[in-house]
Amino acid sequence: MTPIKAFTLLKYLAGIAMSVVLLALLLVALMDWNLMRAPVSRWVSDATGRSFVIHGDLSVSLGLRPRIVVNDLALGNAAWSDKPAMLEIKRLDFRLDMVRLLTTGLAFPEISLSEPRLALEVSRDGMPNWVFKDQETSLTVSFPVIDTLTIDHGSVTYRDPRLNTDLQFELKTREGDRNNPAPTLEIDGKGSFKGLPTKLHAQGGALLSLRSAEHPYPIKADGVLGKTRASI
């Protein structure tokens, strides 16, 4: 084969390869991501031993930091609980850092939660509902890196009948202002702790600021526990 013919053949092969890549990218871009709801639900269910359902739409925007939006998801509760869902989220919107995923590990540049509802509880036998399939209660859980976390109208409940404790918390992230641009977390809580009526109102720094041991966490709080009042 002459050099000219070899070059021509390579050019054609390169053109075919590029066409295949572009076609694959086009198919992925036009893909109906809702088709992935069932496989994702089965994978989460198998991993946790709980039911998992995505009732709403699932969308993906590709890139080095792909954006994934999941609407109306629900994670089932432990079998012994009288609440069917441990976690419900109206809208989960997050980005995944592909570069850090391939180099250092799982990392999320941003996560936004709209109307998350989390139910934490302990059974009368002392089993917490956040222990999943084949997981030991003493196992240390490692969390991925999250750069920014925002919560819009979230709620958390905590129940432990052994301690006569039943608490409800409302959480929301507030945007910063000109003097303090950093977002803040606002918490309102009520219920009973060890049988005593309890109330709490707190404003603090961003939730993820708790990870830093170098700087004190900024917080203002007022609370009532039985007949005792306290503020910081």
Side-chain angles (χ1 to χ4, degrees), residues 131-210:
V131 174
F132 297 104
K133 175 182 178 182
D134 301 328
Q135 178 184 339
E136 298 180 5
T137 57
S138 59
L139 181 65
T140 301
V141 179
S142 59
F143 291 93
V145 176
I146 303 173
D147 296 334
T148 303
L149 174 65
T150 58
I151 301 173
D152 178 30
H153 294 89
S155 70
V156 178
T157 60
Y158 178 77
R159 296 191 303 174
D160 189 341
R162 303 172 308 157
L163 300 177
N164 195 16
T165 294
D166 190 342
L167 298 168
Q168 303 89 41
F169 299 95
E170 299 291 329
L171 302 87
K172 56 186 173 182
T173 301
R174 290 191 176 277
E175 298 294 331
D177 53 30
R178 181 179 301 177
N179 297 325
N180 185 13
T184 59
L185 179 67
E186 184 172 319
I187 302 175
D188 284 293
K190 62 180 180 179
S192 62
F193 178 72
K194 294 186 176 181
L196 298 175
T198 303
K199 287 185 178 181
L200 172 69
H201 175 76
Q203 287 182 316
L207 185 61
L208 296 178
S209 299
L210 290 169

Side-chain angles (χ1 to χ4, degrees), residues 93-113:
D93 187 341
F94 65 93
R95 290 187 181 274
L96 182 63
D97 193 318
M98 299 303 295
V99 175
R100 284 191 283 179
L101 176 63
L102 297 174
T103 55
T104 59
L106 190 59
F108 299 93
E110 57 186 84
I111 296 180
S112 177
L113 305 175

Side-chain angles (χ1 to χ4, degrees), residues 50 77-78 80 86 119-132 135-138 158-160 162:
R50 307 277 181 88
N77 211 341
W80 46 262
M86 175 183 175
L120 300 176
E121 51 188 328
V122 181
S123 71
R124 296 187 180 278
D125 299 327
M127 176 62 70
N129 71 334
W130 55 88
V131 174
F132 297 104
Q135 178 184 339
E136 298 180 5
T137 57
S138 59
Y158 178 77
R159 296 191 303 174
D160 189 341
R162 303 172 308 157

